Amino acid sequence: MHRKIIPYENISAVASSKAITQAEEILSQGWVRRGHIALDLYSPMPWKLENENVRSWNYHLHCWEMIDSLLKAYSLTEDTRYLTPSIGIALDWIKHNEGDKQVISPFAWYDMSVGMRSYRLAYIIDASEKSKLLSVSERDVLWACLLEHDRYLMDDKNISFHNNHGYYQVAGQIAMARRFASRFSDFLLTHNTATKRLKIILDQQFAPDGIHREHSPDYHRMVYTTLRALIDAGLVEDEEVHRFAIEIENALSWFVLPNKRIANFGDSDYRSMERGPRAASTMWRSEEMRYLVTDGEIGTAPKELYKVFDQGGYFVVRHPSTDAPTDLSRASYLAQIAAFHSRTHKHADDLSFIWSDRGADLLVDAGRYGYVGKTAQGSDLWLDGHWYSDPNRVYCESTRAHNTLEFNGTNNLRKGVKPYGSAITRHNISDGIFSVETECKLFQSIRRARVLVFKPAEWLLVFDWFHDNYKEAHDVRQWFHLAPNLDLEITDDGYQINISSSSTPLQVASLLGDASPSRLYIGEEEPKQGWWSGKEKEWLPNYAFCYELKGKMTGSFATLFSFSKGLSARRDLSRINSSGRNGRFAWETDDATHSLEVTRTDGGRLSVVYAKV
């Protein structure tokens, strides 16, 4: 009688319906990841890190990601065609990683590699024992390697509790240990240790409002889907963790753009979240998330129009189109990142934001580009907070690549400064207008605040203020970056953005007279400006522009974006108070005269009064 084994843990959350298809493709065509050449699993494995440009790919090799679908397929079918090459790769890895573990690659015993590899190794041993595919000596080699993984993971010094690497280490450790806990007391101890660690790491990784603290919605998605896979596999029994998982998914739903892609703040690719009803039902528990990723085919439309993540540090507005309320692609979407929790995946993007409206992405984040090139310790890049040295990657992290203020052509500091957590101070929602104030301290002496005032599908005001407590003067630029498919031209009073999905262009003007508009930037190299990356190593030119103040100790910007065929800034009627933090603004469009008053009250409120005649 065959012994039943625990099914392979689907930690990578790939649908079971796809596992066999993917496994067959890997066996016949090789394993492919993100544009690299196909890897034949029966050829010698390129375990050695040949150069810094293949760091990410080499890391995934040492996780044994190439056999993930094979192990899933075997778990579903018990067809040894899928298990046999997996055994061969495991034995080959062990053969090439005896002795000095750092000779072949720094990723051989990299923290996250060990966690992801450990549960795959455990399943190979368990499944191979049942199918009798191992010789005694092969079983001994694999078992000795598993015990080495267990020793590594049981040592707290090897666990990256401070970031998502530790999370994946513990996820793998739980799956590995659970497989043998009923037969071996040492693995029962490992399982109990890993379960306690999981709660500790979740508390560190996520704010109480469900936001992942690594400044990147795509990492939020990735960590959550792994947590959901652990729960679905029966690896997490704690009801408190189950409830918090729902909170995490609800938070994630706010980062689905109208085009069903994920908001690509920080180290997030411009990933499609779109799924069919069947896949969405399996993957997601939230009715709102199911609705958003299936274009309303299943689930329930979100009832809330905005969300303030006071602890996580985001402000998001999602407002249905008045003309087509059921057409998700036409919704207005504004999201601001106002968080600095650690250096992990943190770009120099303080108080930046993105905006989609009228069926198009308008203002975008730079993207990730990729983890390419390792920064030399002690170098200028290293001191500036960069982990990676590729020039395109450096640009994506830079302040000038985001919709924010840049001081003196330098990046906002990330290394050697205390993270401020959430920068959200106050907000106001009234008469269909959404506003939020955020504030942080930069370069030890500069206070800067931003107020976004947003009337969905009509206009957006970006009101910035700064003051240097050391009374030093600065050259300051207020940068904006357009989606790559948009056209930009200079007008008499600012700029005009032409949008194919809207019959009305988007006009841009400064409502204050001090700020000077820049020329247009697109696809420039020295210095880099006007670039966007939607996925690994994608590099597309996009328009950028800025308003600039020179030699200012204290200053304000008030830039208006208005959907209108004409826009005239009434700078004669627009003024700010002596502190620069409260303002009255006026402008004219082709059909109306507009006035807006923005006030921070003594009681800590943000007051916004708008009139249109």
Side-chain angles (χ1 to χ4, degrees):
M1 186 176 194
H2 287 298
R3 174 177 60 85
K4 277 194 79 171
I5 68 168
I6 298 170
Y8 179 64
E9 295 84 4
N10 188 20
I11 290 178
S12 55
V14 172
S16 296
S17 59
K18 295 181 179 180
I20 296 173
T21 300
Q22 290 177 348
E24 289 294 340
E25 289 177 354
I26 291 169
L27 290 179
S28 63
Q29 302 172 29
W31 176 71
V32 178
R33 180 178 174 85
R34 293 184 175 177
H36 291 278
I37 61 172
L39 179 66
D40 182 355
L41 300 195
Y42 294 98
S43 298
M45 288 292 106
W47 301 119
K48 186 175 181 180
L49 177 63
E50 297 292 347
N51 61 72
E52 293 297 323
N53 290 327
V54 295
R55 285 178 61 84
S56 292
W57 189 64
N58 188 255
Y59 153 72
H60 289 290
L61 290 180
H62 285 277
C63 290
W64 298 357
E65 189 171 307
M66 72 289 267
I67 62 173
D68 188 46
S69 292
L70 299 182
L71 298 181
K72 290 176 192 173
Y74 176 77
S75 185
L76 293 168
T77 66
E78 295 192 359
D79 187 336
T80 56
R81 291 188 307 114
Y82 304 125
L83 186 57
T84 299
S86 302
I87 296 170
I89 284 173
L91 291 169
D92 187 63
W93 185 91
I94 295 169
K95 175 183 174 182
H96 284 85
N97 286 278
E98 293 174 337
D100 187 347
K101 303 301 189 293
Q102 297 302 316
V103 170
I104 195 165
S105 170
F107 295 113
W109 288 88
Y110 184 61
D111 52 12
M112 197 165 161
S113 303
V114 180
M116 299 303 286
R117 192 171 59 235
S118 62
Y119 78 95
R120 291 165 177 160
L121 173 59
Y123 181 77
I124 288 172
I125 294 172
D126 204 16
S128 299
E129 286 180 339
K130 179 192 172 187
S131 58
K132 303 187 185 307
L133 290 178
L134 293 178
S135 68
V136 173
S137 61
E138 288 172 335
R139 196 266 185 193
D140 289 345
V141 167
L142 292 173
W143 188 257
C145 186
L146 186 68
L147 293 179
E148 191 170 8
H149 281 65
D150 183 44
R151 286 191 294 272
Y152 178 99
L153 292 170
M154 281 296 282
D155 189 340
D156 278 350
K157 295 195 295 293
N158 293 327
I159 304 300
S160 300
F161 285 98
H162 63 287
N163 63 31
N164 71 76
H165 291 203
Y167 173 82
Y168 284 97
Q169 288 177 288
V170 169
Q173 186 184 29
I174 290 174
M176 173 194 71
R178 190 270 300 257
R179 186 163 295 281
F180 297 111
S182 63
R183 288 189 278 162
F184 302 98
S185 59
D186 285 351
F187 280 106
L188 177 60
L189 174 61
T190 297
H191 185 264
N192 293 338
T193 300
T195 301
K196 292 175 183 176
R197 283 174 171 174
L198 179 66
K199 292 193 69 172
I200 294 170
I201 289 177
L202 284 174
D203 287 342
Q204 294 178 342
Q205 286 275 294
F206 289 92
D209 54 16
I211 288 292
H212 191 237
R213 288 189 171 108
E214 293 188 357
H215 320 98
S216 307
D218 200 31
Y219 274 85
H220 184 140
R221 175 203 60 82
M222 186 171 68
V223 171
Y224 169 72
T225 53
T226 301
L227 177 60
R228 172 53 55 194
L230 291 174
I231 292 171
D232 291 346
L235 291 164
V236 180
E237 299 177 353
D238 190 301
E239 287 300 320
E240 184 180 345
V241 173
H242 288 206
R243 287 191 295 271
F244 191 44
I246 296 298
E247 186 77 13
I248 292 168
E249 183 177 317
N250 288 335
L252 178 63
S253 71
W254 283 95
F255 297 99
V256 179
L257 299 173
N259 61 10
K260 298 181 285 297
R261 291 185 177 272
I262 199 164
N264 68 322
F265 287 120
D267 281 342
S268 299
D269 288 342
Y270 190 58
R271 180 184 302 277
S272 175
M273 298 288 284
E274 185 173 9
R275 296 290 186 275
R278 185 174 179 181
S281 296
T282 301
M283 180 174 292
W284 306 110
R285 298 297 178 271
S286 158
E287 291 299 312
E288 290 79 7
M289 179 65 94
R290 291 172 174 174
Y291 184 88
L292 292 167
V293 302
T294 64
D295 209 17
E297 289 191 57
I298 63 170
T300 305
K303 295 181 176 60
E304 296 177 293
L305 298 178
Y306 75 100
K307 184 71 173 180
V308 184
F309 294 101
D310 287 303
Q311 296 152 314
Y314 289 91
F315 178 84
V316 186
V317 176
R318 183 193 288 115
H319 195 286
S321 167
T322 303
D323 297 333
T326 60
D327 185 350
L328 299 184
S329 69
R330 303 287 299 177
S332 302
Y333 181 89
L334 180 76
Q336 183 180 19
I337 183 169
F340 184 7
H341 299 291
S342 71
R343 285 183 63 199
T344 306
H345 299 293
K346 168 67 176 160
H347 290 197
D349 60 354
D350 301 270
L351 313 190
S352 185
F353 69 97
I354 59 175
W355 179 23
S356 301
D357 222 321
R358 298 196 179 192
D361 287 339
L362 302 175
L363 297 176
V364 298
D365 206 69
R368 176 179 73 96
Y369 186 70
Y371 306 136
V372 185
K374 188 175 182 180
T375 304
Q377 189 168 348
S379 66
D380 289 343
L381 283 178
W382 185 81
L383 293 171
D384 198 27
H386 295 277
W387 297 111
Y388 305 99
S389 59
D390 183 274
N392 295 350
R393 166 67 187 188
V394 170
Y395 169 77
C396 285
E397 291 186 47
S398 71
T399 298
R400 65 187 289 111
H402 299 89
N403 301 312
T404 191
L405 297 189
E406 178 192 42
F407 291 84
N408 306 314
T410 60
N411 292 327
N412 296 342
L413 298 179
R414 294 170 290 167
K415 182 177 173 58
V417 294
K418 183 180 180 181
Y420 50 73
S422 172
I424 295 174
T425 55
R426 46 195 139 185
H427 50 87
N428 181 294
I429 313 299
S430 61
D431 300 325
I433 295 175
F434 301 80
S435 55
V436 61
E437 181 193 52
T438 51
E439 182 172 344
C440 63
K441 192 173 184 180
L442 303 174
F443 303 103
Q444 299 183 330
S445 64
I446 299 174
R447 289 180 62 200
R448 70 149 299 197
R450 163 165 281 181
V451 175
L452 299 178
V453 187
F454 182 42
K455 188 166 178 55
E458 294 192 31
W459 52 262
L460 169 68
L461 176 69
V462 185
F463 180 25
D464 283 316
W465 168 86
F466 65 89
H467 172 73
D468 191 313
N469 292 330
Y470 291 171
K471 303 188 184 304
E472 295 182 0
H474 303 277
D475 294 341
V476 186
R477 290 174 170 175
Q478 184 193 47
W479 283 108
F480 299 102
H481 300 263
L482 304 187
N485 60 330
L486 300 182
D487 290 325
L488 178 67
E489 58 186 81
I490 295 175
T491 65
D492 291 340
D493 205 19
Y495 306 90
Q496 178 172 296
I497 302 168
N498 300 308
I499 307 162
S500 61
S501 61
S502 173
S503 59
T504 305
L506 185 60
Q507 309 286 348
V508 187
S510 172
L511 301 183
L512 300 176
D514 292 344
S516 302
S518 73
R519 64 178 177 85
L520 307 186
Y521 296 80
I522 184 168
E524 302 193 6
E525 289 292 344
E526 294 295 338
K528 286 187 183 294
Q529 184 55 285
W531 294 100
W532 180 80
S533 179
K535 59 185 178 181
E536 187 162 346
K537 295 188 179 179
E538 182 177 53
W539 198 235
L540 300 177
N542 67 325
Y543 277 109
F545 65 94
C546 70
Y547 285 94
E548 187 168 11
L549 294 173
K550 289 185 174 292
K552 296 288 187 179
M553 178 187 74
T554 301
S556 295
F557 297 89
T559 301
L560 179 75
F561 294 78
S562 172
F563 282 103
S564 52
K565 294 183 179 177
L567 174 64
S568 176
R570 293 300 308 271
R571 286 182 277 271
D572 57 323
L573 300 178
S574 300
R575 57 181 57 85
I576 54 177
N577 67 348
S578 58
S579 72
R581 301 198 64 179
N582 299 327
R584 294 181 179 179
F585 307 103
W587 66 94
E588 295 177 352
T589 56
D590 44 325
D591 63 345
T593 298
H594 309 254
S595 64
L596 179 69
E597 183 173 353
V598 179
T599 308
R600 285 90 152 184
T601 67
D602 292 338
R605 293 182 62 251
L606 179 62
S607 173
V608 174
V609 179
Y610 170 67
K612 176 182 176 180
V613 295

